[in-house]
Amino acid sequence: MNEGSTSTARAIEFWFDFGSNYSYLSMMRVEALAAARNVTIVWRPFLLGPVFRQLGFENSPFVLQKEKGAYVWKDMERQCRKYGLALTRPSTFPRAALLAMRIALLGANEPWIGAWCRQIMQLNFVGDRDIGSIDVVSEALDSLGLPVQSVLDAAQSDANKLRLREQTERAISKGIFGAPTFFVGGEMFWGNDRLEDALDYCDTIVARQ
Amino acid sequence: MNEGSTSTARAIEFWFDFGSNYSYLSMMRVEALAAARNVTIVWRPFLLGPVFRQLGFENSPFVLQKEKGAYVWKDMERQCRKYGLALTRPSTFPRAALLAMRIALLGANEPWIGAWCRQIMQLNFVGDRDIGSIDVVSEALDSLGLPVQSVLDAAQSDANKLRLREQTERAISKGIFGAPTFFVGGEMFWGNDRLEDALDYCDTIVARQ
């Protein structure tokens, strides 16, 4: 883990959940945008469900508020068209993806983290696959050439499970209330709409030093 | 009133409330952006309070959710810096502005509507003045060279009061759940972040015809 990296110049913390539709938009864009600006991504998978429950919501606000929920999928269609991304509205939303999230945490500093995250997001938001199932997760690991059983075992170790709970607690203590959320030098940016602003902010910090 | 204008090509409906902070950002930008694209603005003041209550919120989500509320004012600071807008966090939020809203409805097709709306927004979000008070409203009317008493009388007529209630009911029936909201050719766009997309959408409609 790279816990101290928030203070590193030219680094962006990317807090996401695979079930989050606006996290999908950022996930598919962040690596190219960050690379173009020479910014390092610090991957921060966390569980949005416990964050919502902490805030008093029993489900995604996009489910609880039907007007907002209806709008969000129109917005997603338009946003995906703008970014050139495919989209299939998942037949289950939000989709729990605990095992895939544990693998993302396990691989947060591994070279395959970006590919893993994009793969899972595309399975959910393009393939409409059940990313909560061990079969789909195993298939995704295999398609990336990763050792399926050893990754599953490590992801499901007590230590890794605990780390994901702790990371989710950290999200709450940092004031995170949705996903995606970005941090750059202690500044919080919420939502895919702020990804570019967050990356631009890296330049501000460097200029100050 | 220009009720049929939603179907007019190159027109954007701008639904706003003077108490809404993100409406402030759009208000200060919409006229220049629309003019540059030859798009007509259809001004749609409505009361956000009854909309929130209809959705089950007793106040602005930015007040009810303290984490989001704390974030929103950081976001506002950054957004205002980006757009070159002044900002003072209002000491009362959200500020009720019923009389000023009634005047906006009264003037929705008048040449002074844009100036009126910007004036009230600046009094609230820059001057931190009580835009709910008749004194501040009268001062604002006077500063624009408008006939104070006759405007106040017309704004407070039963007919105009009823029209604002009806316009708010229409907002609810159109699925509006926040402000600002834009409609272009029946498509809904929510939030200041979508103002440019909404204006771009005017070109799509024209291209289709």
Side-chain angles (χ1 to χ4, degrees):
Chain A
M1 291 292 288
N2 195 4
E3 299 288 345
S5 53
T6 29
S7 60
T8 308
R10 309 206 70 73
I12 184 169
E13 285 189 41
F14 175 24
W15 293 74
F16 62 92
D17 183 306
F18 289 134
S20 151
N21 56 295
Y22 288 114
S23 294
Y24 166 59
L25 301 184
S26 289
M27 187 63 77
M28 304 310 287
R29 307 189 311 119
V30 66
E31 284 175 298
L33 292 173
R37 297 166 201 230
N38 196 27
V39 170
T40 302
I41 301 167
V42 182
W43 304 83
R44 298 285 197 218
F46 76 106
L47 300 177
L48 198 47
V51 172
F52 284 150
R53 283 192 288 278
Q54 173 81 16
L55 297 170
F57 302 119
E58 281 310 306
N59 201 333
S60 163
F62 301 160
V63 175
L64 297 177
Q65 299 176 43
K66 70 177 187 342
E67 293 81 1
K68 189 179 274 187
Y71 171 77
V72 155
W73 293 104
K74 292 209 106 182
D75 187 54
M76 283 292 292
E77 277 176 31
R78 288 191 304 243
Q79 294 291 102
C80 285
R81 202 176 308 134
K82 187 166 78 175
Y83 295 132
L85 296 173
L87 177 70
T88 304
R89 180 172 172 172
S91 51
T92 300
F93 180 85
R95 218 166 224 143
L98 187 56
L99 178 54
M101 292 292 288
R102 286 172 176 159
I103 294 172
L105 184 66
L106 187 75
N109 294 315
E110 301 298 332
W112 48 266
I113 181 64
W116 173 251
C117 291
R118 277 182 278 108
Q119 177 83 344
I120 294 295
M121 282 297 202
Q122 286 183 305
L123 285 167
N124 192 17
F125 289 102
V126 184
D128 190 21
R129 302 287 303 280
D130 179 8
I131 57 168
S133 83
I134 193 164
D135 288 351
V136 172
V137 166
S138 300
E139 181 189 313
L141 285 171
D142 191 54
S143 75
L144 294 176
L146 293 166
V148 178
Q149 199 54 55
S150 67
V151 171
L152 291 180
D153 290 346
Q156 297 182 105
S157 70
D158 287 345
N160 194 59
K161 288 177 176 177
L162 177 63
R163 279 177 59 214
L164 187 55
R165 284 196 295 274
E166 288 172 344
Q167 180 122 303
T168 299
E169 286 300 316
R170 281 180 62 215
I172 293 169
S173 70
K174 287 170 83 76
I176 287 176
F177 53 84
T181 295
F182 310 97
F183 280 89
V184 174
E187 283 272 304
M188 179 168 137
F189 297 81
W190 171 52
N192 175 66
D193 290 329
R194 293 290 178 273
L195 173 54
E196 282 83 352
D197 285 354
L199 288 165
D200 288 345
Y201 191 74
C202 294
D203 292 326
T204 315
I205 295 175
V206 171
R208 278 190 205 149
Q209 286 174 339
Chain B
M1 290 292 288
N2 194 3
E3 298 289 343
S5 53
T6 28
S7 60
T8 309
R10 309 206 71 73
I12 185 170
E13 286 188 42
F14 176 24
W15 293 76
F16 62 91
D17 183 307
F18 289 134
S20 152
N21 56 296
Y22 287 115
S23 294
Y24 166 60
L25 300 185
S26 290
M27 187 64 78
M28 305 310 286
R29 307 188 311 118
V30 67
E31 285 176 297
L33 291 174
R37 296 166 204 230
N38 195 28
V39 170
T40 303
I41 302 167
V42 181
W43 304 83
R44 299 284 197 219
F46 76 106
L47 300 177
L48 198 47
V51 172
F52 284 151
R53 283 192 289 278
Q54 173 80 16
L55 296 171
F57 302 122
E58 282 309 304
N59 202 332
S60 163
F62 301 162
V63 175
L64 296 177
Q65 299 176 44
K66 69 178 188 343
E67 294 81 1
K68 188 177 275 188
Y71 170 76
V72 156
W73 294 103
K74 293 210 106 182
D75 187 54
M76 281 293 292
E77 278 176 30
R78 289 193 302 243
Q79 294 290 103
C80 285
R81 201 177 308 132
K82 187 165 78 173
Y83 295 133
L85 296 173
L87 178 70
T88 305
R89 182 173 172 170
S91 52
T92 300
F93 179 85
R95 220 167 223 143
L98 187 57
L99 178 55
M101 291 292 288
R102 286 173 175 158
I103 294 172
L105 185 66
L106 186 75
N109 294 315
E110 302 296 331
W112 47 264
I113 180 65
W116 173 251
C117 291
R118 277 183 276 109
Q119 177 83 343
I120 293 295
M121 282 297 201
Q122 286 183 306
L123 285 166
N124 191 17
F125 289 102
V126 183
D128 190 20
R129 303 286 303 281
D130 180 7
I131 57 168
S133 84
I134 194 163
D135 288 352
V136 171
V137 167
S138 300
E139 181 189 314
L141 285 170
D142 191 53
S143 76
L144 293 177
L146 293 167
V148 178
Q149 200 54 53
S150 66
V151 171
L152 290 180
D153 289 346
Q156 297 181 106
S157 69
D158 286 344
N160 193 59
K161 288 177 177 177
L162 176 63
R163 278 177 58 214
L164 187 55
R165 284 196 296 275
E166 288 172 343
Q167 179 123 303
T168 299
E169 286 301 317
R170 279 180 62 212
I172 293 170
S173 70
K174 287 169 82 75
I176 288 176
F177 53 85
T181 295
F182 310 96
F183 280 89
V184 174
E187 283 272 304
M188 178 168 139
F189 297 82
W190 171 52
N192 175 66
D193 290 330
R194 292 291 177 273
L195 173 54
E196 282 84 352
D197 285 353
L199 289 165
D200 289 344
Y201 191 73
C202 295
D203 292 325
T204 314
I205 295 176
V206 171
R208 277 192 208 147
Q209 287 173 338

